[in-house]
Amino acid sequence: MTQAEKLARLEAWQAHMQAVEARMDVLRRELFVAPESPLWSAISQMQEAYTHATSDALGWSRCWLEAWWLEAEFGDKPMECGWVDSPWQALSTLDELLEFMESRP
């Protein structure tokens, strides 16, 4: 898979994930669907499965995209990371994440 294909896959994953999250916010606000509800759980499980499938397709450990989604909030909060014996970096775009992952030893 080329860099452009990898980036396109990441961009599609992120766009879908953000669209689902926006819809979940509407469900929470307007229909009072609680995060503990079976519906919310089912949606979250589908997001997790999509994230794992995308990670697997890229040949990445599943933890990287999970962290990008859940901790870095798709780059809204820069993701601090680094490889052993390398300087730490703050990643805030998919381009930066892809470049970082492709530089892994």
Side-chain angles (χ1 to χ4, degrees), residues 34-73:
E36 301 81 18
S37 74
L39 175 62
W40 199 286
S41 177
I43 293 168
S44 295
Q45 288 173 4
M46 289 298 295
Q47 286 182 290
E48 183 178 337
Y50 184 27
T51 300
H52 290 176
T54 302
S55 296
D56 293 348
L58 295 170
W60 294 5
S61 168
R62 293 176 171 181
C63 66
W64 289 101
L65 285 185
E66 284 182 352
W68 185 255
W69 163 33
L70 298 169
E71 296 171 25
E73 298 177 10

Side-chain angles (χ1 to χ4, degrees), residues 85-96:
D85 297 327
S86 297
W88 282 79
Q89 302 175 46
L91 311 177
S92 54
T93 68
L94 284 175
D95 288 317
E96 292 171 349

Side-chain angles (χ1 to χ4, degrees), residues 73-91:
E73 298 177 10
F74 303 107
D76 287 345
K77 295 179 180 176
M79 189 162 105
E80 296 284 333
C81 52
W83 302 114
V84 174
D85 297 327
S86 297
W88 282 79
Q89 302 175 46
L91 311 177

